[in-house]
């Protein structure tokens, strides 16, 4: 794009929309919001007119340009997608109709994702801290370099071609990662499918009875002992308890001793809104060096390590075969899915000789380490792919593509 193009005020290509409509209490309306940093225009929710406090709302149409008065300086603007044609917004979101004889909506959409356009919105925003707002007159007075429509089409086509290639690479990397991530699950299932090993109910592998955790409501901050959140036992793909995911609870010395976790303890979630998390086992390693308690929705199982390694038991109980049995016990109550310790203790676990257990755990740990490495590499690659778009846009609007 030639740098000697004349500068065009935004008011010559954008016309403020004033299509205010009366809200009918009996009709349904989609409401719009705009994500920051160019992440797009999306549906906030769909509500009845009776749920909208105001009597009027601004109606928007596909291809219009919308921005947030408050967050325009943070990249909160974009083009209304076809899926939100006819939706409504409040006065906090000015809407403009592009002059399609001068600017293509797609060209405006890509241009608005550039650093230069964000700087325009920053320059057009005024106010004190926490009350900075975009001033429409000032915004519309800002100037941009605008090529002819034919050149706009070429630039848009080139950007979309390159973005398409980026998305193709992203998709291939995601597919490769997903295939790699299933290796541990598939390998576990294959290894544990051994008819030569005795299968023993979990109840007969315990050195003491299972125990539900503490029911008092904890606080977000001390005083008190760290007590695990439920998510500490469900969120980790490697089934290792996240010992930093805690709240705090003041308890008696007797309860502190009774509900204290020990290395090798298994915790299972007995009540959750997600079937995948209900009955999922996680291993407490005590790697943090802190004492931890656990809440009522988690069940503690202490194993007889003369017969079974906690690490092996955790792998087996989370295997596809055991998960199928565990999920068959689950029942829904008030929107949550639950099961009892009694159910879990009937699940049979394969018990090979201890040396074999050690070998299997070491092999699967090594495999999990490789998967975790792949995950980190994928995340780094995605960051690098994300960094390409600003570079592409910068070159595109400098005429270097």
């Amino acid at each position: 794009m030639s740098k000697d193009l004349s500068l065009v005020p935004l008011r010559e290509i954008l016309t403020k929309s004033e299509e205010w409509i009366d809200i009918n209490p009996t009709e349904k309306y989609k409401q719009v919001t705009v994500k920051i940093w160019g992440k797009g225009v999306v549906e906030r929710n769909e509500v009845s007119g009776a749920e909208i406090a105001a009597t009027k709302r601004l109606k928007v149409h596909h291809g219009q340009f919308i921005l947030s008065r408050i967050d325009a300086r943070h990249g909160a603007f974009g083009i209304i997608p076809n899926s939100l044609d006819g939706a409504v917004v409040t006065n906090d979101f000015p809407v403009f109709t592009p002059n399609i004889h001068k600017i293509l909506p797609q060209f405006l959409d890509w241009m608005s994702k550039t650093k230069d356009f964000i700087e325009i919105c920053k320059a057009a925003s005024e106010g004190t801290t926490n009350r900075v707002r975009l001033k429409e007159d000032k915004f519309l007075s800002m100037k941009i370099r605008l090529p002819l429509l034919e050149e706009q089409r070429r630039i848009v086509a080139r950007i979309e071609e390159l973005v398409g290639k980026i998305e193709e690479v992203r998709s291939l990397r995601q597919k490769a990662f997903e295939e790699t991530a299933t290796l541990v699950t598939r390998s576990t299932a294959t290894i544990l499918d051994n008819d030569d090993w005795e299968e023993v109910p979990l109840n007969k592998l315990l050195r003491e009875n299972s125990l539900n955790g503490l029911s008092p409501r904890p606080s977000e901050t001390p005083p008190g002992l760290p007590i695990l959140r439920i998510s500490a036992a469900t969120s980790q793909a490697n089934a290792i308890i996240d010992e930093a995911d805690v709240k705090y609870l003041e308890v008696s010395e007797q309860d502190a001793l009774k509900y204290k976790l020990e290395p090798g303890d298994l915790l299972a979630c007995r009540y959750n809104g997600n079937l995948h998390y209900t009955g999922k086992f996680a291993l407490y390693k005590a790697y943090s060096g802190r004492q931890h308690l656990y809440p009522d929705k988690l069940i503690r199982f202490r194993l007889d390590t003369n017969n079974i390694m906690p690490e092996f038991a955790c792998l087996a109980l989370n295997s596809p075969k055991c998960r199928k049995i565990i999920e068959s016990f689950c029942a829904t109550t008030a929107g949550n899915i639950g099961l009892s310790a009694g159910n879990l203790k009937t699940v049979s676990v394969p018990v090979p000789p201890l040396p074999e257990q050690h070998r299997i755990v070491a092999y699967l740990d090594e495999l999990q380490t490789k998967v975790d490495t792949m995950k980190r590499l994928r995340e780094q690659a995605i960051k690098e792919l994300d960094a390409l778009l600003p570079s592409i846009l910068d070159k595109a609007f400098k005429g270097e593509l």
Side-chain angles (χ1 to χ4, degrees), residues 319-388:
S319 69
K321 181 179 178 179
C322 286
R323 281 301 305 170
K324 185 176 180 180
I325 296 169
I326 289 169
E327 290 179 12
S328 72
F329 293 133
C330 293
T332 302
T333 305
N336 278 303
I337 303 162
L339 80 175
S340 68
N343 295 141
L344 291 172
K345 285 187 284 190
T346 67
V347 178
S348 291
V349 180
V351 185
L354 281 172
E356 183 71 359
Q357 293 181 37
H358 280 280
R359 186 191 68 78
I360 292 168
V361 168
Y363 170 75
L364 292 175
D365 279 350
E366 182 181 0
L367 190 58
Q368 183 65 58
T369 299
K370 291 178 180 178
V371 170
D372 292 342
T373 300
M374 285 285 292
K375 182 178 180 181
R376 286 193 294 272
L377 291 173
R378 170 186 165 272
E379 290 170 349
Q380 181 59 39
I382 286 177
K383 288 180 182 179
E384 291 171 1
L385 288 173
D386 289 341
L388 286 176

Side-chain angles (χ1 to χ4, degrees), residues 245-289:
D245 190 8
V246 299
K247 292 187 178 182
Y248 296 87
L249 184 67
E250 293 186 90
V251 296
S252 67
E253 187 175 335
Q254 181 180 359
D255 278 348
L257 184 63
K258 181 179 180 180
Y259 295 98
K260 175 186 176 182
L261 289 171
E262 297 178 1
D265 283 346
L266 296 185
L267 291 179
C269 180
R270 67 180 183 87
Y271 199 62
N272 201 281
N274 187 325
L275 179 62
H276 175 70
Y277 294 152
T278 307
K280 178 182 178 181
F281 283 79
L283 176 67
Y284 182 72
K285 286 196 165 184
Y287 62 79
S288 66

Side-chain angles (χ1 to χ4, degrees), residues 263-318:
D265 283 346
L266 296 185
L267 291 179
C269 180
R270 67 180 183 87
Y271 199 62
N272 201 281
N274 187 325
L275 179 62
H276 175 70
Y277 294 152
T278 307
K280 178 182 178 181
F281 283 79
L283 176 67
Y284 182 72
K285 286 196 165 184
Y287 62 79
S288 66
R290 304 171 73 192
Q291 177 180 344
H292 287 89
L293 309 174
Y294 62 102
D296 179 55
K297 288 185 180 178
L298 298 179
I299 312 169
R300 186 183 71 197
F301 296 88
R302 281 197 173 141
L303 298 164
D304 179 359
T305 55
N306 291 315
N307 294 315
I308 193 165
M309 293 175 62
E311 295 86 349
F312 182 84
C314 192
L315 285 168
L317 288 161
N318 288 332

Side-chain angles (χ1 to χ4, degrees), residues 192-210:
L192 297 181
D193 186 18
N194 191 322
D195 294 335
D196 294 334
W197 298 338
E198 180 184 9
E199 293 203 350
V200 181
L202 178 58
N203 186 49
K204 293 185 177 181
L205 295 170
L206 302 178
R207 65 179 171 89
E208 62 181 60
N209 199 14
S210 60

